[in-house]
Amino acid sequence: MLDDFLVRASLAGVGVALAAAPLGCFVVWRRMAYFGDATAHAAILGVAISLAFSTSVFAGALAVSLMMALTVSAISGRGLAVDTLLGVMAHSALAFGLVAVSFLQGVRLDLMVYLFGDILAVSQGDLAVIWGGVLLILALMFWRWSALLTATLNQDLAHASGINPRREQLILTVALAVVVAVAIKVVGVLLIAALLIIPAASARPVSRTPEGMAMMAAGIGAVSALLGLRLSYLYDTPAGPSIICVAAVAFAVTNVAQLVRGRA
């Protein structure tokens, strides 16, 4: 069954959507959209480093994304506005990564694959890495959900409950880096943040509980992946952007529906 490239692509898309959904909810709740963008943009530098040293692209992207996320977490709130800091680091990391790629000699590299993804070229090995990361993130979210949610909603309440908000921030940072590393082959570094944010933002108007929002976001992400792949196959459009377009339509539908209900 896994010899069929469309089956592998579908499994990869659904897997990444399931991993990105709960994290995307925290990104939306914490207003961390630019944080996810900075982490994703740093991955291209990790790709260049891994290709230069002939190591795993997943390992390189994970290492650099994690380093970027930890750096931003460590220096945020120390004199610079967070949005300014993230803007500088996101675009700087992408620029350094693109420059580093240009210095690679003797390496055939299709940069568009890493910028916008190539889900149709996912191999069985890629699938194993993706689902390994997905299971790790889902287990982490299941283990830390209550603590992460408390630290997100009210830091004073978290301290009173014996929860360290900084530790929960670190856990979320590590999980985001893992998502970036596993999603780079599916949607590329320029669209990873969209896959994190749009399904969660689409689920928000139609959800009554945090858990419901996470499950709804996972469903919207999975359906977007499958429908986006189908449209890409039928109309010969780029697969990664097609997935994001479907998610964007879902966002428009749920928010318009909420607006209509509010006026009724």
Side-chain angles (χ1 to χ4, degrees), residues 91-141:
H91 299 298
S92 298
L94 181 61
F96 277 110
L98 294 175
V99 170
V101 166
S102 70
F103 282 105
L104 294 177
Q105 300 294 329
V107 177
R108 294 187 61 185
L109 176 65
D110 184 358
L111 196 57
M112 297 294 286
V113 168
Y114 295 104
L115 291 177
F116 297 103
D118 190 10
I119 191 173
L120 298 179
V122 168
S123 65
Q124 293 186 26
D126 294 329
L127 206 54
V129 170
I130 289 170
W131 273 95
V134 170
L135 294 176
L136 174 63
I137 291 168
L138 291 179
L140 187 63
M141 290 295 101

Side-chain angles (χ1 to χ4, degrees), residues 131-222:
W131 273 95
V134 170
L135 294 176
L136 174 63
I137 291 168
L138 291 179
L140 187 63
M141 290 295 101
F142 181 79
W143 175 44
R144 303 302 303 175
W145 178 266
S146 180
L148 279 168
L149 188 59
T150 303
T152 298
L153 296 176
N154 191 313
Q155 292 197 6
D156 292 333
L157 178 60
H159 282 297
S161 303
I163 298 170
N164 184 346
R166 295 289 295 178
R167 181 186 61 204
E168 302 310 317
Q169 172 72 25
L170 178 62
I171 290 172
L172 188 60
T173 295
V174 171
L176 279 171
V178 174
V179 163
V180 167
V182 300
I184 190 170
K185 191 68 177 286
V186 175
V187 291
V189 300
L190 296 183
L191 297 177
I192 291 172
L195 193 61
L196 279 167
I197 298 165
I198 297 178
S202 303
R204 193 171 192 173
V206 294
S207 304
R208 295 186 177 181
T209 65
E211 293 78 11
M213 179 173 164
M215 294 178 64
M216 180 67 72
I220 291 173

